[in-house]
Amino acid sequence: MTGEFSPDWLALREPADADARDGQLLQELPAGIRVIRDLGCGTGSMGRWLAPRLPMPQKWIMTDRDPALLQLAADGMPPQVTVSTHLRDVTELTAADLDGVDLVTCSALLDVLTADEVDGLVKTCADARVSALFTLSVTGEVRIVPEDPLDGEVEAAFNAHQRREVGGRRLLGPDAAAFTAAAFEKAGARVSTGASPWRLGPARPALTAEWLRGWTGAAAEQHPELPMGPYLDRRLAAVPHVSVGHQDVLAIFI
């Protein structure tokens, strides 16, 4: 894979992300959203998807710890949207940072956080009484057609890798969406969730191939004894149809 947060990878996945997000959740958003803070914004794909679906005018505060990605995000937003950037680790966000903000968003972020980090983020939103739309958290469910006898073992190894400990941080991985929804409910928010699976296959051969390499690479790192080379070769020889489970979480503080 070209890198979990590399511009090339983010650009490759952006169309699939846009198709996957549950647009029905937007019908539940409160009126009057004008200022949006996007956490872990990457190159700005969440903003490019959501901004045209919200009333204008809008101000987006793009937040990331990578200055190069922040610049790409600012440059790539629709011209009618006001954009500012904030170089910041999203786990350090405070309620004061949300002063004047109407909505907090993120995409493909929660699964690389820990339980404590998500609890802190939820508390920040709750203290500021700011609603949140967190999209595309992996759920660990992968369906591949045609099937292969090794599919289940690769899926289990990948999910274990997603829950690994990194530098003393135990990642939530595929538990992130459910954990976040429960945390927001406990904080008093009205919570809705929606399925947002990736649909990969012959129509998206480059993304499917890169996803397969990343999926199997993580599984092999977790369980090196798996015969991953032959499995990947089989999968790349004929691009399969793939559904990769994700979930969106909307939390509204009344």
Side-chain angles (χ1 to χ4, degrees), residues 214-233:
W215 191 58
T216 56
E221 185 177 315
Q222 188 70 25
H223 292 304
E225 73 280 2
L226 289 173
M228 207 58 70
Y231 174 82
L232 180 59
D233 289 342

Side-chain angles (χ1 to χ4, degrees), residues 128-248:
R129 308 303 292 175
V130 174
S131 299
L133 177 62
F134 294 164
T135 68
L136 294 175
S137 296
V138 296
T139 62
E141 300 164 349
V142 173
R143 298 293 178 265
I144 306 179
V145 178
E147 295 181 353
D148 185 282
L150 204 60
D151 288 346
E153 292 182 69
V154 179
E155 179 183 306
F158 175 83
N159 288 339
H161 183 270
Q162 294 297 97
R163 296 183 177 103
R164 71 194 183 280
E165 185 174 311
V166 181
R169 299 171 59 251
R170 175 70 65 181
L171 306 184
L172 280 168
D175 304 318
F179 182 91
T180 303
F184 270 120
E185 287 179 343
K186 185 177 179 180
R190 186 178 77 231
V191 177
S192 299
T193 61
S196 50
W198 264 2
R199 304 295 186 187
L200 308 181
R204 289 188 167 117
L207 177 59
T208 305
E210 280 299 292
W211 174 82
L212 280 166
R213 293 186 185 101
W215 191 58
T216 56
E221 185 177 315
Q222 188 70 25
H223 292 304
E225 73 280 2
L226 289 173
M228 207 58 70
Y231 174 82
L232 180 59
D233 289 342
R234 291 195 300 273
R235 283 311 193 186
L236 292 177
V239 178
H241 293 272
V242 185
S243 172
V244 184
H246 295 84
Q247 191 170 57
D248 298 348

Side-chain angles (χ1 to χ4, degrees), residues 22 32 36 38 50 63 70 80 97 123 144 152 156 159-160 226:
D22 185 0
I36 303 100
D38 191 22
L50 183 56
T63 307
L70 278 175
Q80 66 271 34
D97 293 320
K123 183 178 186 304
I144 306 179
N159 288 339
L226 289 173

Side-chain angles (χ1 to χ4, degrees), residues 22-35:
D22 185 0
Q24 295 298 313
L25 289 179
L26 303 186
Q27 299 178 14
E28 301 181 37
L29 287 172
I33 292 176
R34 293 292 184 269
V35 181

Side-chain angles (χ1 to χ4, degrees), residues 95 98 120-131 183-184 187-189 253:
L98 299 183
L121 186 55
V122 168
K123 183 178 186 304
T124 296
C125 292
D127 289 347
R129 308 303 292 175
V130 174
S131 299
F184 270 120
F253 290 98

